[in-house]
Amino acid sequence: MKNINLKILLLFFILLVMIISHLLYIYTVTSTLTEDPFLFTKKQAIAYFIIILSLLLVEFFIIRRIEKYSNKEKLIKNVIFFLFLISSTIAISLQILPLSYSYEINGVKRWLHLGFFNLAPIELMKITIVYFIANYYTQKENLSKDSIIDKKAVMFYVGVTVLISAVFLKDLGSSVIIFSLLMIFIYLLSEKRKPIFQLIGIGFIGIITLILLFPYRIRRISSWFYSEDGAGYQISQGYFAISEGLRQNLITGSGYLNGVMKQGYIPEVQTDMVLPVLISELGILGYVIYLSLMTICFLSIFIFLKSNKNMISYNLALLFMFTTILSALMNFLGVVGLIPFKGITVPFLSYSGSNTIFNLGMIYLIIKFNKFDNIRNSRELEEKKAHEAMKHAWQRNIKKGKK
């Protein structure tokens, strides 16, 4: 128990370091964008506070009541399904809601306007999809007969989420990430490779279809080749920012708070284009520090889960790590122009309350299911010891009878 407490304290300490570094970086990116240099930093801090408070309320008023029941995992599955239903309904409804209830950027409605906070329902849907995939493959690994969710249900949830994200929210980047998660897990856990090639084919046809159905996506791809306006202009300004800093010092950049291009020259610098400013001001060293912090964060999670390698908490952590890597990688490849820019935020770096919901929500689920897994392991160990004791007693009785 003491060892577990030390592990969770380590995890919380590293998470606190990540949050503080996140807020410091948001300050350096946004301090020149408004009259109040701390405006975005305060908003992000408030988002952290509200999300952590919400998770605590969920823990004390919902989850702890569910824990009293023997079928608590099925009840939690129902809660997560309800979250999927609510978030998908909100995502579809955003397109018909007036602007007083929905937040629109560049003609796209992806956020529910809550006054003090803009919520992207796709981040809630991502949490539910990660849970459904992890749950299914945990059952498959352990050959569980008491199935909570089956393969067809997983495919259905993934398909609905991809459809809502790509068609209603016009967020092809999130669709690619969600679909990629499914392919990665099938590749890791399936002995057959045929389903992987089938999914790749379906995904390729789906992406081409979604691009052809929406002309703005064709324009976005063309801007990948011609940097005159739109996403092409955004990327070219990112190039200027990176070159500005690396010309001064390849390792350390122009210095903290010394970047020039962030002062209104780069569109969406606080969300999609944080990476060029990071490299501009802190150089290659700054990017290495960010990657190191993320690596340490996930190492601490897997150290925490060391004894539960075939359990749902471990699979949740794997999927969380893959999602984070895919998001950061797609943003990086878009920024440097290797793929069309998709406007995906960088975890623990971009200004984003909704992405913070996903990050903290996933860490909460990992910790909570790790507790359930430990309880199950302890119960199974006790049952095994009881079985062994009965077996030895039976053997002793047989020997006595022979005598």
Side-chain angles (χ1 to χ4, degrees):
M1 183 62 70
K2 185 178 179 181
N3 191 30
I4 292 174
N5 289 337
L6 288 175
K7 287 179 181 179
I8 199 167
L9 284 175
L10 173 65
L11 177 58
F12 283 150
F13 173 75
I14 292 170
L15 184 59
L16 180 62
V17 172
M18 295 290 295
I19 291 172
I20 292 171
S21 62
H22 187 196
L23 295 175
L24 287 173
Y25 185 67
I26 287 175
Y27 171 74
T28 187
V29 173
T30 63
S31 58
T32 59
L33 295 180
T34 59
E35 292 181 1
D36 181 2
F38 294 98
L39 178 63
F40 287 95
T41 308
K42 288 188 289 188
K43 284 185 173 182
Q44 185 67 51
I46 291 170
Y48 271 116
F49 174 78
I50 292 172
I51 293 165
I52 292 171
L53 179 62
S54 299
L55 289 174
L56 289 173
L57 291 174
V58 168
E59 167 69 15
F60 286 105
F61 292 101
I62 298 178
I63 302 301
R64 291 204 175 180
R65 294 186 179 184
I66 289 175
E67 286 177 349
K68 297 176 182 178
Y69 297 92
S70 58
N71 61 338
K72 52 183 172 292
E73 291 191 15
K74 287 189 177 181
L75 291 173
I76 289 177
K77 178 254 179 180
N78 291 335
V79 170
I80 293 178
F81 174 75
F82 180 72
L83 178 63
F84 174 81
L85 193 63
I86 292 295
S87 55
S88 57
T89 302
I90 292 172
I92 295 172
S93 302
L94 282 176
Q95 312 312 309
I96 58 175
L97 287 175
L99 289 177
S100 56
Y101 296 101
S102 59
Y103 186 67
E104 181 178 332
I105 295 180
N106 299 327
V108 178
K109 293 180 179 180
R110 294 178 186 166
W111 301 268
L112 179 67
H113 184 56
L114 301 175
F116 57 89
F117 188 78
N118 294 317
L119 173 66
I122 189 63
E123 298 295 338
L124 296 176
M125 295 179 74
K126 279 164 63 178
I127 292 175
T128 62
I129 290 301
V130 167
Y131 167 78
F132 290 138
I133 296 175
N135 199 303
Y136 169 71
Y137 281 102
T138 301
Q139 295 164 17
K140 186 177 179 181
E141 283 180 304
N142 297 327
L143 302 175
S144 173
K145 295 180 180 179
D146 186 20
S147 179
I148 295 177
I149 185 170
D150 59 23
K151 185 177 181 179
K152 290 181 180 179
V154 172
M155 294 296 185
F156 172 77
Y157 294 136
V158 171
V160 169
T161 304
V162 168
L163 182 67
I164 290 174
S165 176
V167 177
F168 291 94
L169 300 178
K170 298 179 176 62
D171 186 0
L172 191 58
S174 293
S175 301
V176 170
I177 289 173
I178 293 165
F179 194 75
S180 299
L181 286 179
L182 185 63
M183 287 199 299
I184 289 170
F185 242 55
I186 288 177
Y187 176 79
L188 290 176
L189 299 174
S190 177
E191 296 179 358
K192 298 178 180 179
R193 295 292 174 256
K194 186 177 178 181
I196 293 292
F197 295 113
Q198 290 175 340
L199 277 176
I200 290 174
I202 292 170
F204 180 77
I205 293 171
I207 289 173
I208 297 298
T209 303
L210 289 168
I211 290 172
L212 295 176
L213 286 176
F214 297 93
Y216 79 92
R217 286 182 176 140
I218 298 175
R219 291 195 297 270
R220 184 178 283 267
I221 291 175
S222 66
S223 72
W224 180 37
F225 297 98
Y226 304 101
S227 302
E228 297 174 355
D229 55 11
Y233 171 78
Q234 196 176 23
I235 292 171
S236 64
Q237 294 301 96
Y239 287 157
F240 292 142
I242 293 171
S243 61
E244 171 208 359
L246 297 186
R247 274 203 311 268
Q248 296 185 46
N249 192 306
L250 183 66
I251 304 300
T252 59
S254 61
Y256 185 64
L257 297 177
N258 292 331
V260 176
M261 293 299 294
K262 67 182 181 181
Q263 300 176 18
Y265 296 101
I266 305 177
E268 306 298 333
V269 68
Q270 74 276 17
T271 53
D272 309 342
M273 296 295 288
V274 292
L275 206 52
V277 179
L278 173 71
I279 299 173
S280 173
E281 293 194 345
L282 301 178
I284 295 174
L285 179 62
Y287 192 56
V288 170
I289 290 172
Y290 167 71
L291 294 178
S292 300
L293 283 173
M294 294 303 300
T295 302
I296 292 170
C297 179
F298 283 109
L299 280 175
S300 67
I301 290 174
F302 286 112
I303 289 171
F304 177 65
L305 302 173
K306 189 176 181 180
S307 60
N308 290 324
K309 286 191 175 181
N310 294 323
M311 297 297 179
I312 186 171
S313 54
Y314 195 84
N315 287 331
L316 284 170
L318 278 177
L319 284 165
F320 178 39
M321 183 181 69
F322 291 145
T323 307
T324 303
I325 291 171
L326 285 169
S327 299
L329 181 63
M330 287 182 68
N331 183 278
F332 175 78
L333 294 176
V335 164
V336 299
L338 293 179
I339 62 172
F341 191 67
K342 294 307 303 168
I344 295 174
T345 55
V346 185
F348 288 106
L349 203 62
S350 298
Y351 167 76
S352 174
S354 296
N355 187 248
T356 303
I357 291 175
F358 175 77
N359 295 330
L360 296 187
M362 284 305 308
I363 291 172
Y364 170 76
L365 282 181
I366 289 166
I367 293 171
K368 180 52 60 177
F369 276 100
N370 180 70
K371 178 183 175 181
F372 294 159
D373 292 339
N374 286 333
I375 293 171
R376 186 188 300 106
N377 288 342
S378 299
R379 187 170 62 244
E380 289 176 355
L381 184 61
E382 289 174 1
E383 290 174 355
K384 185 177 180 181
K385 287 180 178 178
H387 178 73
E388 290 293 329
M390 290 177 64
K391 183 179 178 181
H392 290 315
W394 180 70
Q395 289 174 345
R396 284 196 302 269
N397 290 333
I398 291 176
K399 288 179 180 179
K400 287 179 180 179
K402 288 182 178 179
K403 291 179 180 179

